Amino acid sequence: MNIATVKSHIRDVPDFPKPGIVFRDITPLLAHAGSFRWTIERLREQVSAHRPDGIVAIESRGFIFGAALAAALELPLQLVRKPGKLPYRKIGVTYELEYGADAIEAHEDAFLAGSRYAIVDDLIATGGTAAATASLIRSRQGDIACCAFVIELDFLHGRDKLAGYPVESLLHYDSE
Ligand code: AMP
């Protein structure tokens, strides 16, 4: 398995979910067992180097990679979700989008002060979601060990929003 083969299993879907966006569809990667396994192995190498105490996975595709990674590293897994999905007492944060605002939530006991968390999502675009997740962890005095993504859209410079935190990503795109 190599990086070019894995990247060939990302499907580009133009104009989804709205005109002008090229959606990077990971479902062919998940359906190709060797590529999925390679992806989890590489994430495991990259993330373990930052010595996290826990994995924080972002809804919804981040759950797939974050869950597999947490199991591989034998680390606790915490979930960051869209508003209204979590059943117990919650903390939340809103963040700016290009047009309007969005919000994420976690359970109030998800993050421990002084613990180091690896934030995991399938893709970093503008970086807003990951930055909001980091601020939620920081609000409970947790620390950010690293942020890890399968795909980075380099031309959107999302990692600038995560300045000060190590950022790891496997597959890069220079343009839409
Ligand atoms: P952002 O907050 O702008 O970094 O957006 C990241 C979130 O939106 C991730 O959870 C991604 O799954 C999703 N996302 C944003 N842009 C794309 C895209 N072009 N293809 C697939 N997912 C995307």
Side-chain angles (χ1 to χ4, degrees), residues 64-123:
I64 298 165
F65 298 100
L69 185 60
L73 289 172
E74 298 185 59
L75 286 174
L77 173 66
Q78 297 295 348
L79 306 181
V80 163
R81 301 207 64 178
K82 311 269 164 60
K85 303 276 190 181
L86 287 166
Y88 186 58
R89 292 204 295 269
K90 285 160 281 196
I91 53 173
V93 64
T94 58
Y95 58 100
E96 299 299 315
L97 297 176
E98 199 176 350
Y99 301 104
D102 213 339
I104 51 169
E105 293 181 338
H107 278 150
E108 65 171 17
D109 57 0
F111 310 126
L112 302 177
S115 281
R116 292 164 50 77
Y117 294 97
I119 297 170
V120 177
D121 205 353
D122 67 322
L123 181 146

Side-chain angles (χ1 to χ4, degrees), residues 21-24 61 121-129 153:
I21 304 286
V22 180
F23 193 85
R24 309 294 174 180
R61 290 175 297 279
D121 205 353
D122 67 322
L123 181 146
I124 178 170
T126 67
T129 313
L153 304 184

Side-chain angles (χ1 to χ4, degrees), residues 3-26:
I3 197 160
T5 304
V6 174
K7 201 172 183 182
S8 76
H9 288 95
I10 304 289
R11 177 164 51 199
D12 296 347
V13 184
D15 300 319
F16 184 89
K18 50 187 178 187
I21 304 286
V22 180
F23 193 85
R24 309 294 174 180
D25 178 16
I26 55 146

Side-chain angles (χ1 to χ4, degrees), residues 137-158:
I137 295 168
R138 297 292 300 134
S139 77
R140 308 306 270 189
Q141 283 78 50
D143 292 321
I144 315 304
C146 66
C147 304
F149 308 93
V150 179
I151 298 168
E152 180 169 4
L153 304 184
D154 299 75
F155 56 95
L156 295 177
H157 307 290

Side-chain angles (χ1 to χ4, degrees), residues 6 26 29-30 35-52 55 57 61-70 72-73 75 118-123 146-152 167-171:
V6 174
I26 55 146
L29 183 155
L30 299 176
S35 291
F36 186 35
R37 188 195 163 111
W38 181 94
T39 300
I40 298 304
E41 277 297 307
R42 294 291 83 69
L43 282 174
R44 188 170 68 79
E45 288 170 2
Q46 291 188 331
V47 167
S48 64
H50 298 287
R51 303 189 158 279
I55 303 294
R61 290 175 297 279
F63 288 177
I64 298 165
F65 298 100
L69 185 60
L73 289 172
L75 286 174
I119 297 170
V120 177
D121 205 353
D122 67 322
L123 181 146
C146 66
C147 304
F149 308 93
V150 179
I151 298 168
E152 180 169 4
V167 176
E168 307 281 5
S169 43
L170 298 175
L171 307 175

